[in-house]
Amino acid sequence: MRIRNYLALLVFACLLGAYTLEQVLSYHFEHVQKLAEKYNKSLLWAKDLERIENSAAQFLVSADLVVASGNTYLIYGAKNMGYYLNNELTTISTEKHFKKFSTEINRSLKNVDIINDYLDIISNIPLDQLETRLSTLLDEYDPISLTLSQDIQFLLQETNTLITQEALYLEEEKRIMNNVRLIARGIFFLLIILLWWWANSKICKPLNGLIYSSHRALAGDDFKATNNAPTEIIELSNDFKHLTQTLFHQASHDPLTELQNRRAFERNLNEIIADKDHNYFLCFVDLDYFKTINDTCGHAAGDEILVSVARILKSNVRAYDTVARLGGDEFAILIKDCGVEKTMQIANVIKENINDLSYHWEGETFKLSASIGIAPKITESTTTDLLHSADVACSLAKNAGRNTIHLFDMSHQNSSDKRQDMVPVQQIHNAIDNNLFILFKQDISPLQNQTVGKNFEIFLRMKNTQGELVNPASFFPIAERYQLCSQIDRWVVNAVCEHFVQHHQQLVNIDTIAINLSGHSLIDTDLELFISEKLTNNPSLAEKICFEIPQTTAMENVQKTCLFIESIKTLGCKFASDSFGKGHSSHTSLTELPTNTIKIDGSLIKNMMENPLDYSAIKAICAVAKTTNQQVIAKHIEDKKVVDALTKLGVDYGQGFYFAKPEPLT
């Protein structure tokens, strides 16, 4: 039933109660009024009877004097008094009030007439016979006059008795009327209270329940819909329930992928930390090179890829496992009651499925991969420990060459050391904001006896909260995961420019200043503009700088990388393809990228004397480099035998601890 129907019933009941109260009080008031009128009439009749009594007394006194003493001169007055008395008795005989006294009244009328007849007889008696006749008439007159007097007294007494009774009845009715008025008003007020209670239980109580449920929902509890209430409140309650469920879903789920968001996922982590009956594995999934695709192809393409990845994650886990998007291209999976082998199997299937994803844009095909870090929940783990362990494992997976899976093992010393060395992302932000980085350099030495100026590569160190220097291996994986590399590259370029602006005379003896750029920087338009602004007004510095770019990342977006290189080359800068030969490097990239130098990855140099394949790969790289008119630099050289072998192969420069260790730039 709707609220308006409840209100209509409420108003109708109030009106009906008020009408009933008015009718009851009106009835008793009218009844008392009638009794009062009747009583007042009785008082008037009593007054009339008193007047009749006086008239009867005067009539009888006059008649007695005439009959007893013969005073005939009183006959006329007595008869007139008798006529008057007769008229009064006749008048009251017609009233309903005296109907029950009709016998006495009629007898009194008859006796008055008889007495008047006696008076007529006496008026006609001769004087000589008067005395004799009066004695006879007196005997007949006395009973009649006595009866008349008694009847008049009877009428007066009965009327007074009736008046007394009516007065008592009237007072009783007045008292009853007061009681009825109080009782009726009490019943009416009780009715109002009952109606208020009824309206409160039907309308106000459900509304209060709705408010309470809303407050509980705001505190994070489930909203409980109201069932026993008016239709409008039920509909409002159902709408509130739907709204709170929608808002809770929106607050706990990512709108793009419909996965849980970071807030909901961390709430689940807090719950599973206290769960001692089940084992869990936390997997961090970080997409490799997603920012390249997102920035190159646009956010629509990036959103499409994220939805596809979310679909892969959900389809490869069990119904009771939890999948969340933590932000950007980072995902998390909470796997419950699963062994290590099964967890690794799930992660590997996810990795392979993601690796099969590709995106086509403007004739180019972009491949996608993922680095996955896995951390088990152990007894003494806290939420922070578990998150950090998975984060470190993911960073180690990225550092191992991407598209890999790394299982975090607390019992493994190497992993433990890595975990302790990894820097929190907040500390990297702090270093960027407060200039807590320090520039180092490492010399690059010529191997072909060519006469050149100084060549060196700029390295970076970071101060931690204790003021100690932190190796790049401890913060670059984290910086790369949280897409802070472009900001770090900006800091390095700015610091190098400021240093050589202040020490401009040092440029005379310098041939090359090698500065590393991350893969993200190659598609960062803002960084490109920043470099142009810094070097446009300092051409003597620009021609000394050689930007080293990671070869594998550059090949993921050749078109964008080439545009970046050509734009910066107009300033006089040179470019080197760094870490060539690492991972899936292709010799075809030597002809696709307009670089000036090739830096062979240290993993090939390290084992070239023991591994013929590595030696052959270096030889092939040198041959192709000469064909494309590019110089070759070998990294991570640590002994004389390697130097001699590289020199014979035609490598132009060598870099490593054999020649010099990194030292501060200043």
Side-chain angles (χ1 to χ4, degrees):
M1 191 165 62
R2 294 191 172 275
I3 292 179
R4 61 172 176 265
N5 296 333
Y6 283 103
L7 295 177
L9 289 175
L10 182 65
V11 173
F12 176 76
C14 290
L15 292 176
L16 181 63
Y19 175 77
T20 303
L21 175 63
E22 186 270 337
Q23 290 296 315
V24 171
L25 295 180
S26 296
Y27 169 78
H28 281 277
F29 179 77
E30 291 176 0
H31 179 62
V32 172
Q33 285 292 102
K34 290 178 180 179
L35 291 178
E37 291 176 0
K38 184 179 180 182
Y39 174 71
N40 290 332
K41 282 186 176 182
S42 297
L43 291 177
L44 293 175
W45 290 121
K47 293 293 183 182
D48 291 341
L49 286 174
E50 288 179 357
R51 187 173 65 254
I52 290 173
E53 182 187 25
N54 292 331
S55 298
Q58 293 178 6
F59 172 66
L60 290 175
V61 169
S62 298
D64 288 346
L65 290 175
V66 172
V67 174
S69 59
N71 293 325
T72 57
Y73 63 89
L74 297 175
I75 291 175
Y76 180 76
K79 288 184 68 177
N80 287 336
M81 190 67 68
Y83 294 146
Y84 175 77
L85 181 60
N86 204 331
N87 290 334
E88 290 291 324
L89 289 173
T90 301
T91 301
I92 67 174
S93 66
T94 60
E95 298 292 336
K96 293 174 61 176
H97 184 75
F98 292 101
K99 289 296 183 182
K100 60 183 178 180
F101 303 125
S102 58
T103 301
E104 288 79 6
I105 293 174
N106 290 332
R107 188 167 57 222
S108 297
L109 288 171
K110 183 178 180 181
N111 289 333
V112 170
D113 290 339
I114 292 172
I115 291 173
N116 280 338
D117 290 341
Y118 281 137
L119 293 177
D120 289 338
I121 292 172
I122 292 173
S123 63
N124 294 324
I125 295 175
L127 293 175
D128 55 349
Q129 299 178 4
L130 185 60
E131 184 175 355
T132 304
R133 294 284 300 275
L134 286 175
S135 60
T136 303
L137 292 172
L138 183 61
D139 293 335
E140 297 175 0
Y141 167 78
D142 283 341
I144 294 172
S145 63
L146 179 60
T147 301
L148 176 61
S149 176
Q150 289 176 345
D151 288 339
I152 297 298
Q153 287 293 327
F154 175 76
L155 290 175
L156 182 60
Q157 289 176 358
E158 288 297 318
T159 300
N160 288 334
T161 301
L162 181 62
I163 289 172
T164 302
Q165 292 176 351
E166 289 179 349
L168 293 175
Y169 185 58
L170 179 61
E171 290 299 322
E172 180 65 19
E173 287 299 312
K174 286 182 178 180
R175 185 182 64 80
I176 292 174
M177 179 181 174
N178 289 331
N179 293 336
V180 169
R181 184 172 66 250
L182 293 175
I183 293 172
R185 288 177 177 173
I187 292 174
F188 181 73
F189 289 139
L190 180 61
L191 175 64
I192 296 297
I193 293 174
L194 291 175
L195 290 174
W196 173 86
W197 176 83
W198 177 76
N200 179 70
S201 62
K202 294 296 183 181
I203 301 175
C204 298
K205 189 175 180 180
L207 282 175
N208 291 333
L210 184 61
I211 294 172
Y212 177 75
S213 296
S214 300
H215 290 167
R216 292 290 301 272
L218 289 175
D221 294 338
D222 292 336
F223 181 88
K224 294 183 179 179
T226 302
N227 297 322
N228 186 19
T231 305
E232 293 89 344
I233 297 179
I234 293 177
E235 293 176 353
L236 184 62
S237 177
N238 292 333
D239 289 344
F240 272 14
K241 183 176 183 179
H242 178 70
L243 179 61
T244 53
Q245 288 176 343
T246 302
L247 292 176
F248 181 78
H249 181 82
Q250 292 176 351
S252 59
H253 287 75
D254 174 57
L256 176 64
T257 61
E258 287 299 314
L259 301 177
Q260 283 191 5
N261 58 20
R262 178 181 288 272
R263 178 183 178 186
F265 189 72
E266 289 181 351
R267 185 165 57 245
N268 287 336
L269 284 182
N270 289 329
E271 293 176 359
I272 69 106
I273 285 299
D275 186 358
K276 307 300 182 184
D277 300 327
H278 302 276
N279 68 296
Y280 294 86
F281 282 90
L282 175 59
C283 302
F284 267 15
V285 180
D286 192 352
L287 303 183
D288 302 325
Y289 317 120
F290 172 76
K291 190 175 188 300
T292 302
I293 301 176
N294 196 54
D295 293 344
T296 303
C297 306
H299 294 293
D303 291 346
E304 182 180 340
I305 289 174
L306 291 175
V307 172
S308 300
V309 171
R311 192 179 299 115
I312 289 173
L313 297 180
K314 287 190 291 186
S315 62
N316 286 285
V317 298
R318 300 160 301 177
Y320 48 85
D321 294 331
T322 304
V323 183
R325 181 189 176 195
L326 303 183
D329 59 348
E330 293 182 345
F331 297 86
I333 307 172
L334 190 60
I335 300 177
K336 179 181 180 181
D337 289 336
C338 190
V340 176
E341 294 182 359
K342 180 64 176 177
T343 301
M344 294 293 290
Q345 181 182 348
I346 292 173
N348 190 62
V349 171
I350 290 173
K351 179 179 74 69
E352 293 300 327
N353 287 339
I354 293 176
N355 199 34
D356 291 337
L357 288 177
S358 61
Y359 190 79
H360 303 279
W361 185 79
E362 294 187 355
E364 292 194 51
T365 299
F366 295 88
K367 298 291 291 182
L368 196 70
S369 63
S371 299
I372 303 177
I374 303 175
K377 189 203 84 166
I378 58 177
T379 305
E380 64 273 13
S381 288
T382 64
T383 303
T384 303
D385 291 338
L386 186 56
L387 285 170
H388 187 66
S389 298
D391 195 10
V392 169
C394 189
S395 298
L396 294 173
K398 272 193 172 295
N399 202 33
R402 297 184 174 88
N403 195 29
T404 59
I405 301 172
H406 187 90
L407 176 63
F408 187 87
D409 187 0
M410 285 292 293
S411 63
H412 197 282
Q413 182 63 35
N414 186 38
S415 296
S416 178
D417 293 341
K418 292 278 187 181
R419 179 178 181 272
Q420 293 175 0
D421 290 342
M422 283 294 174
V423 173
V425 65
Q426 296 85 354
Q427 191 169 330
I428 300 175
H429 279 292
N430 183 56
I432 295 173
D433 295 337
N434 298 290
N435 293 319
L436 297 181
F437 291 112
I438 297 177
L439 295 179
F440 275 63
K441 68 176 182 178
Q442 185 180 35
D443 290 339
I444 301 174
S445 302
L447 300 183
Q448 303 300 330
N449 296 320
Q450 63 267 45
T451 303
V452 295
K454 291 183 178 180
N455 296 273
F456 56 84
E457 180 181 354
I458 297 295
F459 289 146
L460 194 65
R461 300 291 185 267
M462 186 183 76
K463 288 184 178 180
N464 60 17
T465 54
Q466 291 78 32
E468 301 169 346
L469 293 182
V470 179
N471 192 283
S474 298
F475 64 84
F476 257 113
I478 301 296
E480 187 174 31
R481 282 201 58 226
Y482 291 95
Q483 300 175 1
L484 298 176
C485 291
S486 294
Q487 298 182 46
I488 295 176
D489 290 348
R490 176 189 290 260
W491 189 95
V492 172
V493 171
N494 183 68
V496 170
C497 290
E498 289 185 355
H499 173 80
F500 286 104
V501 166
Q502 295 176 7
H503 305 86
H504 192 269
Q505 69 280 2
Q506 294 180 3
L507 292 175
V508 177
N509 299 320
I510 295 176
D511 184 61
T512 302
I513 303 171
I515 299 177
N516 285 281
L517 294 180
S518 66
H520 295 301
S521 297
L522 300 178
I523 55 173
D524 189 340
T525 305
D526 292 337
L527 180 62
E528 181 180 339
L529 294 175
F530 177 78
I531 294 174
S532 297
E533 291 175 359
K534 282 291 182 180
L535 299 180
T536 297
N537 298 324
N538 198 347
S540 60
L541 174 60
E543 66 184 13
K544 304 288 186 180
I545 292 179
C546 176
F547 288 108
E548 297 183 357
I549 59 174
Q551 188 269 344
T552 53
T553 307
M555 291 305 298
E556 291 176 6
N557 192 346
V558 176
Q559 183 178 4
K560 185 72 174 177
T561 302
C562 289
L563 291 174
F564 179 87
I565 293 174
E566 295 295 346
S567 175
I568 302 302
K569 268 190 170 184
T570 59
L571 304 173
C573 300
K574 297 183 289 293
F575 277 83
S577 180
D578 193 17
S579 299
F580 195 88
K582 178 180 180 181
H584 304 285
S585 298
S586 172
H587 289 175
T588 59
S589 64
L590 295 176
T591 59
E592 294 183 22
L593 295 177
T595 55
N596 307 98
T597 305
I598 298 172
K599 296 192 75 170
I600 303 175
D601 188 68
S603 60
L604 293 176
I605 305 300
K606 183 178 181 180
N607 299 316
M608 66 176 290
M609 303 306 294
E610 292 81 19
N611 191 334
L613 291 177
D614 289 347
Y615 184 90
S616 299
I618 296 172
K619 183 177 181 180
I621 293 172
C622 292
V624 176
K626 296 304 179 182
T627 304
T628 57
N629 295 318
Q630 297 192 67
Q631 293 184 326
V632 179
I633 301 175
K635 301 168 58 176
H636 298 178
I637 300 175
E638 297 183 353
D639 58 61
K640 183 68 168 58
K641 291 182 181 180
V642 173
V643 173
D644 294 339
L646 291 173
T647 302
K648 290 180 182 180
L649 290 174
V651 174
D652 298 292
Y653 294 90
Q655 180 181 357
F657 286 175
Y658 176 78
F659 300 105
K661 293 183 178 180
E663 60 182 4
L665 177 62
T666 56

